[in-house]
Amino acid sequence: MTDEATRETAEDARGWRAATEAALYGPDGFYRRPEGPAGHFRTSVHASGLFAEAVAELLCRVDEALGRPETLDFVDMGAGRGELVTGVLAALPADVAARTRAYAVEIADRPSRLPDRVTWLAELPRTVTGLLFANEWLDNVPVDVAEVDAAGTPRLVLVRRDGTEVLGERVSGADAQWLERWWPLGTEPGQRAEIGLPRDQAWASAVAGLQRGLAVAVDYAHTVRTRPPFGTLTGFREGRGTAPVPDGSCDITAHVALDACAALDTALRLPEPLLCTQRDALRALGLITARPPLTLASTHPAAYVRALSTAGEAAELVASGGLGDFGWLLQPVAVDNPLR
């Protein structure tokens, strides 16, 4: 396709970043719908209350690392309908809960059943001392998509509201530099990459507001050695994967280059970040997946059924090929990493 033909066919199309921004967060966007994310896809938060209990344990460890401050902040970034922050507050020991100042950051309206003590914000609080937890937030920070054309040149992918795509201008500037460092594309036509620079910037901005404590991002992820050759952009609607169509009818998401997010400006002089799987993180936080002994079934049948159910929920959170493969990025600020 010539540059002139590209311009003609792209007149009613725009980059995936702008299209996704409008489709997810515009006035009638997907994330403003009343059913919330839980109506369309299942996260660790929705899978089991054990996830909130593990995050509560992490908050307690951050509290100890901070020397048990008078006020301990917990920020639920991309809070959905407040399921995680509510579960964490319920799981905290009474003395820690009494000192915890809870924030839920989300663009949707405040849920009517959210506890009064939770502050509902559209943006991050200016300063945080405690734990900032971003569960499946970065994957919904919109990004542009690049595709290699017939001449072996990476170009921006433009998309119309109905989901049809055309190739736009050559990738250049900071986006091209990001691709070269974090997602090098070959010359084979059709190779694709999501340009993760906006996510790096979003994560850096979140960490910059943390005075002392720990910032954690949990998401579908890949690293520079395991980048998929054709990208990961996809959609979700009513619990099922679907084609990504930027008309507000579905979620639009792409896996996160967490290793790029972890490479924060060294001028900040932050402690070394930690990248690990959810499986390793939850086990380090005390999640137990072992089935109860069969002898319990005969001596205390009800307790056995409860323990078996709990073990099943724990197993789902750490399952290979599923939630257990999620990436965790932990960035301590002015404290030792409580998960090491």
Side-chain angles (χ1 to χ4, degrees):
M1 181 180 294
T2 66
D3 288 347
E4 182 178 354
T6 297
R7 284 192 293 271
E8 289 176 355
T9 58
E11 284 182 358
D12 59 344
R14 53 183 169 171
W16 267 108
R17 183 181 180 188
T20 301
E21 183 75 34
L24 297 185
Y25 307 117
D28 299 316
F30 177 83
Y31 275 99
R32 297 188 185 275
R33 295 171 62 162
E35 71 272 19
H40 296 273
F41 52 86
R42 181 179 174 86
T43 72
S44 298
V45 178
H46 308 127
S48 173
L50 295 174
F51 188 78
E53 292 177 13
V55 177
E57 167 64 21
L58 182 58
L59 180 58
C60 289
R61 295 190 188 186
V62 172
D63 182 44
E64 291 294 333
L66 290 169
R68 298 176 58 82
E70 182 177 342
T71 300
L72 176 68
D73 294 327
F74 175 67
V75 180
D76 181 6
M77 187 67 197
R81 296 302 178 264
E83 300 95 337
L84 179 61
V85 67
T86 301
V88 168
L89 288 174
L92 289 173
D95 63 315
V96 179
R99 292 183 288 109
T100 298
R101 181 169 53 188
Y103 298 94
V105 182
E106 181 60 68
I107 64 161
D109 294 336
R110 180 188 180 97
S112 59
R113 297 183 179 180
L114 193 72
D116 292 340
R117 63 173 299 184
V118 178
T119 301
W120 189 264
L121 300 173
E123 297 180 348
L124 281 165
R126 290 187 177 182
T127 59
V128 176
T129 299
L131 174 61
L132 184 152
F133 201 88
N135 184 59
E136 295 195 48
W137 168 57
L138 286 173
D139 70 306
N140 284 126
V141 173
V143 292
D144 276 318
V145 177
E147 181 176 321
V148 178
D149 68 10
T153 301
R155 294 184 177 274
L156 287 175
V157 177
L158 308 182
V159 62
R160 300 186 181 93
R161 184 176 168 82
D162 65 1
T164 58
E165 296 179 335
V166 294
L167 295 186
E169 299 296 323
R170 178 195 301 261
V171 179
S172 60
D175 287 346
Q177 293 173 8
W178 189 93
L179 283 178
E180 183 179 1
R181 179 180 181 186
W182 294 110
W183 199 329
L185 290 170
T187 58
E188 181 181 348
Q191 291 186 87
R192 289 168 67 113
E194 292 101 31
I195 303 171
L197 182 59
R199 292 170 173 176
D200 300 354
Q201 295 167 337
W203 179 245
S205 179
V207 172
L210 187 62
Q211 289 188 322
R212 295 179 64 219
L214 181 69
V216 181
V218 180
D219 239 308
Y220 299 97
H222 45 59
T223 62
V224 71
R225 294 183 179 181
T226 60
R227 305 279 191 241
F230 302 107
T232 62
L233 189 73
T234 191
F236 282 95
R237 183 189 297 114
E238 298 177 355
R240 296 184 178 183
T242 185
V245 179
D247 61 359
S249 67
C250 66
D251 185 28
I252 298 172
T253 180
H255 294 197
V256 182
L258 277 183
D259 51 346
C261 295
L264 293 171
D265 186 352
T266 55
L268 297 175
R269 297 184 180 179
L270 296 175
E272 184 81 14
L274 173 65
L275 274 169
C276 65
T277 64
Q278 175 157 297
R279 182 179 311 105
D280 290 339
L282 292 183
R283 286 173 174 166
L285 290 168
L287 186 72
I288 298 174
T289 59
R291 295 165 62 93
L294 284 174
T295 53
L296 187 64
S298 57
T299 57
H300 297 88
Y304 176 78
V305 171
R306 289 194 299 271
L308 191 63
S309 175
T310 298
E313 293 178 10
E316 181 181 2
L317 290 174
V318 300
S320 297
L323 296 175
D325 293 341
F326 270 50
W328 279 47
L329 167 57
L330 300 98
Q331 178 61 68
V333 177
V335 297
D336 293 331
N337 196 325
L339 203 61
R340 287 201 182 277

